[in-house]
Amino acid sequence: MTNEGQGLDRGLTNYGDRDFARYLRRSMARSMGVSTELLERPIIGIATSPSQFNNCHRYMPQLAEAVARGVLAAGGLPREFPTISLGEVFLNPTSMVFRNLMSMDVEEMIRAQPMDAVVVIGGCDKTVPAQLMGAASAGRPVIQLVTGPMMTGRHKGERLGACTDCRRFWGKFRAGEIDDEEIQQVEGRLATTAGTCAVMGTASTMACITEALGIALPGTAAIPAVDSQRLVAAEETGKAAVRLARSPITPNQIITQESVENAFRLLMSLGGSTNAIVHLTAIAGRLGIRISPERLNEISDETPVLVDLKPVGEGYMEDFHAAGGVGAVLRELRHLLHLDCLTVEGTTLRERLDCPAGWVDRKVIRAFDTPVSKIGGLISLSGNLAPGGAIFKRAAATPSLFEVEGRAVVFEGLEDLAARIDDPTLDVNADDILVLKNAGPLGAGMPEAGYLPIPSKLARAGVKDMVRISDARMSGTAYGTIVLHIAPEAAAGGPLAIVRNGDRIRLSVSEKRIELLVDEAEIARRLSNWVPRPSPERGYARLYHRSVLQAPDGCDLDFLVSAPNNSNV
Ligand code: FES
């Protein structure tokens, strides 16, 4: 038999008789056709979430098989187990509500079942964050394997990739530039292979972040889902998990203040998704790590955008992989990184980056001195409209709209927005500021509704961008002059709740400010009349509503976050 507390003997079921529990467990394990020889090996859990409601995880069974192959080859026993699956576009009201539920599923199933280490396989937007949040809390040695991005499709001689091109063509359709027949053709050509969205959206950004954190094997973040190298990476991940089971390194040794800063720095250089700020904050929060908005802005101002991919630039994830991937970017950032950070391989980031770099395509991954942009893509804003902060993706915005004051055109919520945005009688001009309320974590589960459509009468007149602000999120594949994650949100009684049509709002990217130009006494008077909405009555919605934190705290549930770590910067 294995040692007490390891392998199959880990965490025995409570019957009041440990020997009986061990004997019964071994009997049931043998009923699955596992030999007694294999039952003595270290056990590697493989957390999977395939679902026919999750296109991004279509190849997960093949990946799990390849991981298991690697585990067996290295002398471990693979045990695959399911968790819930979050297919981004198949969930109502929004996948974000369920990220925390999945994290609880992952945490509890890792902790409850007998595994010495675990490989978590994920891809679609909320999956990797949920898995890392759960694994960080469970404390068992973990390696992340991502499913990899889709390949692009083709339409009339140009490449298409979900979902930046989804939005671009939808914008053309709304503006009357393409007809019904063409938008249907595009619909069938946007997402043609297995994998996650083909641009540097949330899924790809989070995949790259896992590599920068050191919790995924080097070079694995960007391999396309359908590339045979991804199966090889899965096999190697399985082998590495066995090494990790034999010489344990726990998530809190890898996800540290320093590695989280490295990950934020990579995020800036990628021009990555605004959602990654929320997710990385939530992952770090599980280990008591917090990066302040001021530190975020310092990192952003010091870190150039080096990667020329959509939605900020031109290329797709397949180009990024061929260009050198995360390793090439980290080498450019080397002098700004904390190099002593430990990785799942037991080596440091310095040791990784000391290995010779391969060929790098400088059209896609720029050298530090010839960046796409000299400053990072994302910043935190503050001001009386967002006392708790807000996020702005300057890399994806229109510079001529960086210093503006405009009239508020207010939508009270998502239904109001849908009902009136295309109303030909809507009183709106191109220099107005569109304001969406009640789309934050409490108000609506924080959907990706921050990319408010340009009112169709303005779109048809050729308006491509205008300032839009909300407490919502925005898809990592979207672009525009858009202020997001305003905190406190309207549904929590933040100042956003009392903005009225015609109020003046000022955005200053240089000052990192978002201001409601209304007298403070009038703001206080309006807030004193604000009435919260009732909570849901039952189920997970009730738990979520009672416990969800605001965006600057990662939108985690308050009882899942760890107390601040004293080593925080
Ligand atoms: Fe899954 Fe885009 S729909 S990553």
Side-chain angles (χ1 to χ4, degrees), residues 100 145 148 266 335-336 339 368 370 470 488 514-515 553:
N100 298 339
L145 175 69
L266 180 81
H335 61 288
L336 295 172
L339 295 172
F368 190 87
T370 53
S470 74
I514 182 80
E515 304 278 2
D553 293 313

Side-chain angles (χ1 to χ4, degrees), residues 55-56 88-89 124-125 196-197 203:
N55 56 296
C56 298
E88 184 65 20
V89 300
C124 197
D125 285 15
T196 50
C197 286

Side-chain angles (χ1 to χ4, degrees), residues 305-343:
V305 178
L306 298 177
V307 175
D308 191 1
L309 291 195
K310 291 174 187 282
V312 171
E314 288 305 316
Y316 295 89
M317 284 302 287
E318 62 199 46
D319 306 319
F320 181 59
H321 173 58
V326 171
V329 184
L330 291 176
R331 283 183 177 82
E332 293 303 317
L333 299 176
R334 181 181 175 125
H335 61 288
L336 295 172
L337 298 173
H338 301 287
L339 295 172
D340 292 327
C341 292
L342 194 60
T343 73

